[in-house]
Amino acid sequence: MKYLLQIFILFIISTSNFYCQQITPLTEIHDFGNNPGNLKLFIYGSLTKDTSKLSLVVVLHGCGQNARDASVLTGWNKLADINHFIVVYPQQKIFNNANLCFNWFNTHDIEKGEGECESIYQMISFVKQHYAIDSNNIFITGLSAGAAMSVVMAATHPELFKSGAIFAGGAYKIATNPIAGTKAMLGKKYIPKEILVENIKEQNPNYKGQYPSLIVYQGLKDPVVNYQSATSLINQWTGINKSDTIPDKTETAFMGIEDISRSEYTDSLGRTSVIFYEINNLGHRLMVRPGEKENEGGRTGIFGVDKGFHSSYQTAKEFGLIKNN
């Protein structure tokens, strides 16, 4: 059982084409500062004649992918062009993880100021120094291992992010080693809500501010990340934001799509702490909607499926990035 994750990911890698049909114009930054996690940095976007500051979206790829794969799969570059924001793509190295997964389950990579967590923080700091970034509009998102690492960043640097979008991820420190990580993904590891919340608080014991809101996407037929992962994540994030544990609002057949349900969890002041997209008939894949319109994009394949719903567009809309919204 402890090798289940590795075997499945190796199968994915061996049968995929890595989205090589199109190379997206990403710029690699070789020297962005301290890099204890030994990651690579790629950036998409440029400054415009507009003097206003730009929003920033950090996109973390899944296992068996790289930065360019993630940009083609998700369609974030197209959204950045239309709505004028910057996208940062951290990239894993095979030296760190043979399956190219971000190490969301290794203690030395998920503690504040250490490993991959610190490398990603340094990337964001670099971009803030060299681009006109609006510090109040920084967002993070990822798929699978990238989703779990996105949670790590939101938990360790809550002051940095306004919101995050988690596609088939899990709670912060639901696992601190590979074996526990496999159990957590299969829904066989339970941690009480109080401990999940305390795990976050320990990273910033003196922090009194608001934690980022999260948008959680979870497929009900995901063979890699069990539904329980989403449950633990929602429990953790409603707990840290002191919000209701029962949805305050639920919309079934969201946007007329029978398989998608959208729920909101809010705190006593009416602020949204979690938005949950529960998707029936969805495995371990990203929902895309290929096409030329603004609300269309992404690439189908082993990591992407067309369900008539461009999840990156909807996420950007939830983030408040769509200018024509």
Side-chain angles (χ1 to χ4, degrees):
M1 181 64 71
K2 70 180 182 179
Y3 299 111
L4 179 60
L5 172 61
Q6 290 86 348
I7 292 172
F8 183 86
I9 292 170
L10 285 173
F11 170 78
I12 289 177
I13 294 174
S14 66
T15 56
S16 69
N17 291 320
F18 295 100
Y19 298 91
C20 291
Q21 301 95 327
Q22 177 182 342
I23 300 298
T24 54
L26 305 182
T27 300
E28 182 174 4
I29 305 298
H30 295 280
D31 184 10
F32 55 83
N34 189 27
N35 187 16
N38 190 34
L39 302 178
K40 289 186 175 184
L41 167 61
F42 293 86
I43 297 177
Y44 182 82
S46 61
L47 297 178
T48 66
K49 293 180 180 179
D50 189 345
T51 58
S52 60
K53 291 190 174 182
L54 302 172
S55 298
L56 172 64
V57 179
V58 181
V59 179
L60 298 174
H61 64 77
C63 298
Q65 293 182 309
N66 58 32
R68 288 186 173 86
D69 299 333
S71 69
V72 175
L73 168 67
T74 62
W76 273 107
N77 291 357
K78 174 182 173 181
L79 291 167
D81 287 338
I82 296 172
N83 299 286
H84 309 300
F85 57 83
I86 301 294
V87 189
V88 165
Y89 294 95
Q91 181 174 296
Q92 184 59 282
K93 294 182 181 180
I94 198 167
F95 178 82
N96 303 328
N97 186 295
N99 300 314
L100 295 176
C101 308
F102 289 103
N103 289 308
W104 60 272
F105 44 77
N106 283 341
T107 301
H108 66 272
D109 282 310
I110 62 176
E111 294 282 348
K112 184 176 182 177
E114 298 183 20
E116 293 176 14
C117 174
E118 177 62 14
S119 291
I120 297 171
Y121 176 75
Q122 291 291 328
M123 293 176 188
I124 298 170
S125 298
F126 174 89
V127 175
K128 288 174 65 178
Q129 291 169 7
H130 292 83
Y131 291 78
I133 299 299
D134 182 353
S135 296
N136 295 316
N137 280 298
I138 299 177
F139 307 89
I140 191 164
T141 183
L143 171 65
S144 193
M149 186 57 75
S150 296
V151 175
V152 169
M153 297 306 300
T156 55
H157 296 280
E159 78 293 343
L160 191 59
F161 301 101
K162 186 175 182 179
S163 185
I166 312 303
F167 293 83
Y172 177 63
K173 281 195 174 180
I174 192 72
T176 53
N177 61 70
I179 295 176
T182 302
K183 290 182 178 179
M185 291 169 66
L186 294 174
K188 296 183 178 181
K189 185 174 177 58
Y190 172 76
I191 296 179
K193 179 178 179 178
E194 295 74 18
I195 296 177
L196 289 173
V197 172
E198 189 60 30
N199 286 342
I200 294 180
K201 289 182 177 180
E202 288 175 350
Q203 294 299 305
N204 296 280
N206 298 317
Y207 183 68
K208 304 298 182 182
Q210 182 76 6
Y211 280 79
S213 60
L214 286 190
I215 305 166
V216 179
Y217 292 83
Q218 180 63 49
L220 297 183
K221 291 190 175 181
D222 192 327
V224 180
V225 178
N226 186 272
Y227 184 89
Q228 180 60 41
S229 294
T231 300
S232 295
L233 179 58
I234 292 170
N235 284 340
Q236 184 178 55
W237 230 253
T238 53
I240 198 66
N241 277 317
K242 299 178 181 178
S243 61
D244 295 339
T245 56
I246 298 175
D248 298 276
K249 177 183 177 182
T250 297
E251 183 177 349
T252 58
F254 183 69
M255 293 178 59
I257 303 173
E258 289 293 331
D259 281 347
I260 302 177
S261 175
R262 180 186 183 278
S263 299
E264 287 188 26
Y265 299 75
T266 60
D267 64 15
S268 59
L269 298 178
R271 296 175 298 194
T272 300
S273 61
V274 175
I275 296 173
F276 181 36
Y277 285 92
E278 184 181 63
I279 306 102
N280 193 24
N281 297 313
L282 179 68
H284 196 64
R285 301 164 87 182
L286 192 76
M287 292 184 292
V288 298
R289 186 183 182 184
E292 299 302 320
K293 297 179 181 177
E294 182 182 0
N295 65 346
E296 298 173 337
R299 180 70 60 82
T300 58
I302 195 167
F303 295 113
V305 60
D306 186 355
K307 290 186 73 70
F309 182 86
H310 183 17
S311 57
S312 295
Y313 176 85
Q314 185 62 28
T315 296
K317 190 174 180 180
E318 300 279 17
F319 284 167
L321 295 173
I322 304 300
K323 291 186 177 297
N324 296 324
N325 187 14

